[in-house]
Amino acid sequence: MDEKSNSPPVTRRPTRNSEIHKPAVDFADEVSLDNLVEKTNGWTGAHIESLFEEIGEILLKEDRDKGENPTIHRMDVERAYERVQAQINNKEAQRRREQEAEEGAN
């Protein structure tokens, strides 16, 4: 017990982002979550959330969002990954351009 708050101490264990943000869906056997975790190493929780939002949009557009647990296939993950990675790259490029412009103005 924590003497100050009279509550048990908080014990944190490391978790992977996929364990935090994985929605209630089924993944096809060809989807490797370990590979996904590796590919998204260094991404923020917001990036991971965007990845699953993109996957959700793919399921919606293809009318595969019906049922209790829709199935996500490898191609869904790859398409969503490429979209989010492109967004990340665009933001980084914009940030660099702004930084270069600021340095040029000084």
Side-chain angles (χ1 to χ4, degrees):
M1 288 286 206
D2 183 347
E3 293 176 14
K4 293 179 184 176
S5 67
N6 293 327
S7 59
V10 175
T11 305
R12 295 178 187 231
R13 71 174 182 87
T15 58
R16 296 187 289 192
N17 280 339
S18 65
E19 293 173 359
I20 297 169
H21 294 284
K22 185 179 132 189
V25 294
D26 292 326
F27 287 88
D29 290 340
E30 79 252 14
V31 176
S32 168
L33 290 181
D34 289 335
N35 184 36
L36 182 59
V37 168
E38 232 176 83
K39 285 177 75 168
T40 58
N41 185 31
W43 282 21
T44 65
H47 294 142
I48 302 296
E49 184 176 8
S50 292
L51 176 73
F52 283 105
E53 286 173 358
E54 287 289 339
I55 292 170
E57 287 182 26
I58 291 167
L59 295 176
L60 280 170
K61 286 179 185 176
E62 296 180 2
D63 203 29
R64 292 190 290 133
D65 63 321
K66 309 298 184 236
E68 216 170 286
N69 292 333
T71 300
I72 296 173
H73 298 279
R74 183 180 52 82
M75 287 304 298
D76 302 329
V77 174
E78 288 179 10
R79 287 170 50 200
Y81 172 85
E82 288 177 10
R83 291 178 188 173
V84 174
Q85 187 61 57
Q87 292 170 2
I88 293 168
N89 292 345
N90 289 339
K91 286 180 183 177
E92 288 176 1
Q94 178 65 31
R95 203 173 9 244
R96 281 193 304 273
R97 285 191 297 272
E98 290 171 358
Q99 184 178 13
E100 290 170 359
E102 187 177 301
E103 289 172 358
N106 292 333

